[in-house]
Amino acid sequence: MNPNRILNLFIAAAVLFCSLNFSNASYAQLRRGNNERPAENRVEQRRNQGAQRNNGNIRNNNPNNENRPIQQNNTNRVGNGNTVNRNNNTINQNNNRVNNAHNNNVNINIDNSHDVNVVNNRNTVVRRNDLSYYHRPPYVYGGRRYYAVNPYFYHPFHPFTWGPVWHPWGFFIATLATTAIAVTVASKQYHYNQGVWYAPSSGGYTVVSAPVGGTVATLPTGYETVVVNNTTNYYYGGSYYEKAGTQYKVVAPPAGAVVTNLPQGGKEVKIGNQTYVQVGDTYYQPVQVSGKSKYEVVQVES
């Protein structure tokens, strides 16, 4: 055989062998590349997540808020009505807040949110006497004169409660007793029950001062009889009544009236060097009558 032909055949075989090896190597490298790319992607994802953590961003694993980013450096994050406080680890769901401290000091009787319609000074303008009625000079302070029949005699004020059915001004109830009666005074609606007057309030009724002019058929048990200028008054729970035909009518506190007890809601006030008890806008002077501590309605003049 021709030597040149043999050489050409050898060179062609070598070229073919090299081409086949290069193709196999490329194909293997391509397969390795495809298999390694997910791993590279996972590494890249971890790097991205690490960068997000460094920036203060984390994933919320709460099933109620899937895939929702929450800023750690943001004190309050609101989502779906839930408030999350990362610093205090406090979660207030549906914006409902519970203050456990209130559980230790709960007053279920007095609800001040219902006092917006309460006018406690409705019957606190006293019925004045002619100044000749007083045989003692008034106590003068701050440009005002405070008239009283009995001399000033201080004794500490202790609020009084007229039995279990009596309530002080501002007391709120959701429903009235079946014995309560409706009374209209000056086109306003009230309810009266055993010496206590109620006015409609949001969600129920609030105890108010007895409205002057209101009439009732009977007096509550435990009333006190007070006579001023030959006029008989009946006192109960801070309110005064007079006989009007077959009924009893609410009147303003008569100046000079002396009573044994004052209701809850009164407060001691210092006027100069004397201490009075103020109930609504009415001032009571502490006195002593027949050796007993009592209070007299003061007539104040400018």
Side-chain angles (χ1 to χ4, degrees), residues 69-135:
I70 299 179
Q71 297 289 338
Q72 276 187 328
N73 58 359
N74 187 358
T75 302
N76 294 315
R77 179 75 175 179
V78 179
N80 294 333
N82 297 331
T83 303
V84 181
N85 187 320
R86 291 287 181 183
N87 293 334
N88 296 326
N89 295 323
T90 301
I91 301 179
N92 294 328
Q93 296 182 345
N94 298 325
N95 293 328
N96 290 330
R97 297 169 183 261
V98 178
N99 190 340
N100 292 329
H102 290 169
N103 293 333
N104 297 327
N105 186 17
V106 178
N107 189 334
I108 61 174
N109 291 329
I110 303 297
D111 187 347
N112 292 330
S113 66
H114 296 275
D115 292 352
V116 293
N117 294 324
V118 177
V119 181
N120 287 338
N121 63 350
R122 182 172 290 109
N123 68 338
T124 53
V125 178
V126 302
R127 291 189 295 170
R128 286 172 165 76
N129 296 311
D130 188 278
L131 295 182
S132 62
Y133 176 79
Y134 300 97
H135 302 289

Side-chain angles (χ1 to χ4, degrees), residues 165-232:
V165 298
W166 181 86
H167 304 298
W169 297 344
F171 185 94
F172 174 80
I173 60 174
T175 57
L176 293 170
T178 56
T179 53
I181 60 173
V183 181
T184 301
V185 182
S187 301
K188 293 184 179 180
Q189 186 75 24
Y190 300 89
H191 283 83
Y192 171 85
N193 185 49
Q194 302 185 56
V196 183
W197 292 80
Y198 300 88
S201 184
S202 176
Y205 303 87
T206 301
V207 176
V208 297
S209 60
V212 172
T215 58
V216 294
T218 59
L219 292 172
T221 302
Y223 68 85
E224 182 178 359
T225 302
V226 179
V227 178
V228 179
N229 273 335
N230 299 319
T231 301
T232 301

Side-chain angles (χ1 to χ4, degrees), residues 272-286:
N273 58 3
Q274 293 190 178
T275 301
Y276 294 87
V277 177
Q278 183 179 359
V279 180
D281 286 342
T282 301
Y283 289 92
Y284 288 84
Q285 176 175 293

